[in-house]
Amino acid sequence: MRITRRGILAAGFVGAALLAAPGWAADKLSVVATTGMIADTTRQIGGDAVEVKALMGPGVDPHAYRQTRTDIAAMTRADLVLWHGLYLEAQMEDFFHKLETRGNVVAVTDTLPRDMLKGHDDYAEKYDPHVWMDPKLWVFVSAHIRDTLSEKDPKNAGKYAANATAFIEGLDRLSQYGDSTLGSVPDEARVLLTAHDAFGYFGRAYGFEVLGIQGISTQSEAGLNRIGELVDMLVDRNIGAVFVESSVSDRSIRALSEGAAARGHDVVIGGELFSDAMGKDGTYEGTYVGMIDHNVTVIAGALGGTPPARGMQDKLSAGF
Ligand code: ZN
């Protein structure tokens, strides 16, 4: 097959290599990760043997994100590229499938047992991608990242194994914190209403009914009918709090709360949750554990539970 220049540029690589790529430390394994959750987990497991760059920062919506020229340049120079898969990075799906032929591109959800995944009505034959919402599922992802780092960089395999063991112990503590803290929410208040369907695994893990105004991707608009239906439900079931998400517009959630107020039912915005992106870089909420701790603590507090004021490790910046 004759490869044209246009074809090469479409595939993303050779053209991008002409651009100035950001430098990588020579003595570390260089890794590009798509989401903050993957980047943080890789940093925790890789320690000082890896240098990790995340394509998506705080507040960035992975369903909508497209690679930039700078991203392509960084990926071209990296030893390893980690993406989520399960159609989370929907706009980059084709791009990553092309890259996979290079042999250093790995979807971190590849080894998750498929019988542990949720399907979704919106997408026949596809799974709900939001697996980070259940720390028990994130254990599988963490183990896959450990194995991938070890394969690429065998001389540091012992270090990756030790760091991964410590990180996974932290995930176990996080799971237990979720069980006990969310267990304090009264049964009738166990309804989590958010802008999009990111919390399906969270609901399954902790026994909450989960409703999103939009579907499983942020790419579909919520219709007025859907808002009306949910207002009815808030009023009928006397639900007192709904939640906004840091990576999704709060417009539909505000419409919902105003709709309920017009019917004489007060619904507060229970707080901002980190659904598809973490908090600010350099903060506790900007780590995987901090993100989940924040969500668990905010949800429990807003729905009548009794969480500790500043979360599992007394590290949350905004508590109750
Ligand atoms: Zn999402």
Side-chain angles (χ1 to χ4, degrees):
M1 190 180 85
R2 188 166 162 261
I3 299 172
T4 62
R5 179 170 162 74
R6 176 180 293 223
I8 289 168
L9 285 172
F13 265 89
V14 175
L18 302 172
L19 301 172
W24 291 101
D27 56 339
K28 298 184 186 214
L29 187 75
S30 54
V31 185
V32 168
T34 53
T35 69
M37 293 74 86
I38 299 171
D40 177 58
T41 302
T42 306
R43 284 188 190 109
Q44 303 291 336
I45 295 171
D48 59 10
V50 303
E51 183 183 3
V52 183
K53 293 178 197 293
L55 298 188
M56 302 177 211
V60 175
D61 176 356
H63 302 285
Y65 190 82
R66 286 175 194 278
Q67 69 278 9
T68 65
R69 288 158 70 92
T70 314
D71 294 344
I72 295 169
M75 287 189 271
T76 308
R77 300 276 292 271
D79 296 320
L80 179 64
V81 176
L82 298 176
W83 64 300
H84 186 82
L86 299 179
Y87 216 65
L88 177 72
E89 302 100 333
Q91 314 303 318
M92 298 195 283
E93 185 85 6
D94 293 344
F95 174 76
F96 280 119
H97 283 310
K98 279 187 191 129
L99 285 199
E100 271 171 344
T101 58
R102 299 175 82 227
N104 68 337
V105 178
V106 174
V108 297
T109 56
D110 268 356
T111 55
L112 256 171
R114 276 3 193 196
D115 61 359
M116 297 181 82
L117 298 182
K118 286 165 61 72
H120 196 278
D121 299 343
D122 289 1
Y123 288 111
E125 296 166 28
K126 288 202 176 81
Y127 298 105
D128 180 342
H130 303 88
V131 296
W132 57 89
M133 288 296 180
D134 180 356
K136 288 195 173 76
L137 294 179
W138 203 246
V139 168
F140 289 90
V141 170
S142 304
H144 191 26
I145 291 175
R146 173 198 62 204
D147 295 344
T148 304
L149 294 180
S150 303
E151 199 178 297
K152 281 280 157 207
D153 179 24
K155 70 179 184 306
N156 283 311
K159 184 182 281 185
Y160 300 141
N163 289 345
T165 300
F167 184 68
I168 288 170
E169 281 168 9
L171 298 184
D172 292 342
R173 284 195 296 278
L174 188 60
S175 268
Q176 286 163 18
Y177 175 71
D179 287 339
S180 61
T181 305
L182 293 161
S184 69
V185 175
D187 284 351
E188 66 279 10
R190 289 167 171 255
V191 179
L192 182 63
L193 207 158
T194 60
H196 90 295
D197 268 346
F199 290 83
Y201 293 106
F202 180 99
R204 186 178 73 179
Y206 301 112
F208 278 63
E209 186 181 344
V210 172
L211 298 160
I213 301 177
Q214 288 168 283
I216 205 149
S217 164
T218 54
Q219 300 299 290
S220 54
E221 266 298 318
L224 281 178
N225 285 349
R226 176 76 177 147
I227 301 270
E229 230 173 71
L230 289 169
V231 166
D232 288 345
M233 201 211 61
L234 287 173
V235 175
D236 293 348
R237 295 178 57 179
N238 196 27
I239 295 166
V242 294
F243 298 87
V244 297
E245 299 173 36
S246 66
S247 54
V248 184
S249 158
D250 63 2
R251 196 177 46 202
S252 55
I253 280 288
R254 296 202 181 277
L256 202 65
S257 135
E258 284 157 20
R263 305 253 315 260
H265 177 66
D266 277 340
V267 175
V268 300
I269 306 285
E272 181 184 68
L273 304 179
F274 298 117
S275 54
D276 291 1
M278 309 192 303
K280 284 200 189 74
D281 290 342
T283 67
Y284 176 57
E285 289 83 352
T287 66
Y288 172 76
V289 170
M291 163 196 197
I292 303 297
D293 184 2
H294 168 93
N295 287 348
V296 165
T297 307
V298 165
I299 291 166
L303 296 177
T306 51
R310 293 183 64 222
M312 176 175 75
Q313 314 188 79
D314 205 29
K315 286 185 180 173
L316 292 177
S317 54
F320 288 92

